[in-house]
Amino acid sequence: MTKEDRDRADARFNKATRAASQARAGGTERDAATKAVLDNMARLKALRLAREAAEPLRPPAAKTTRAKSPKKSGEKAPALSDWLASQQKGGHRT
C-alpha cells in the first residue's frame, strides 16, 4: 500500500467519522426539540385540567329529537303514476 493510498483511506475515514459525529449532534438537537414539545404539551394539559376543575359542572346537553312527519299512519302514499304526473306538472322533470 502506498502513502497516497493510505492518505486517501485516512481522508475517507475522517470524513465518515465527521459525518457520524454530526449525525449524533443532529440527533441530540432533535431530541431536545422533541422534549420541548412534549413538555409544552404537558404544561398545556395541566392548565386545561386546572381550568376545567375550576369551572362549575355543566348539565349534559339534552338530545334533540326529530319532529315526526305529519303523515298519518293509515294514510297511503300516492301511486307512482300520480306522483310522476305531479312532478311533471310542477316542472321538476322537464
Side-chain angles (χ1 to χ4, degrees), residues 37-51:
V37 168
L38 291 175
D39 290 345
N40 191 33
M41 285 177 22
R43 181 183 62 84
L44 291 173
K45 182 178 180 181
L47 288 172
R48 178 179 51 85
L49 291 174
R51 184 188 69 226

Side-chain angles (χ1 to χ4, degrees), residues 16-88:
T17 305
R18 277 192 309 263
S21 67
Q22 287 175 351
R24 280 192 298 271
T28 57
E29 290 173 9
R30 186 178 37 232
D31 292 342
T34 302
K35 184 181 181 318
V37 168
L38 291 175
D39 290 345
N40 191 33
M41 285 177 22
R43 181 183 62 84
L44 291 173
K45 182 178 180 181
L47 288 172
R48 178 179 51 85
L49 291 174
R51 184 188 69 226
E52 288 175 356
E55 289 179 357
L57 291 178
R58 295 183 197 160
K63 290 187 177 183
T64 58
T65 58
R66 296 177 62 188
K68 294 195 177 199
S69 63
K71 183 179 174 184
K72 297 177 186 170
S73 62
E75 192 175 306
K76 198 173 180 185
L80 179 60
S81 59
D82 295 337
W83 182 81
L84 287 173
S86 69
Q87 294 294 309
Q88 284 179 343

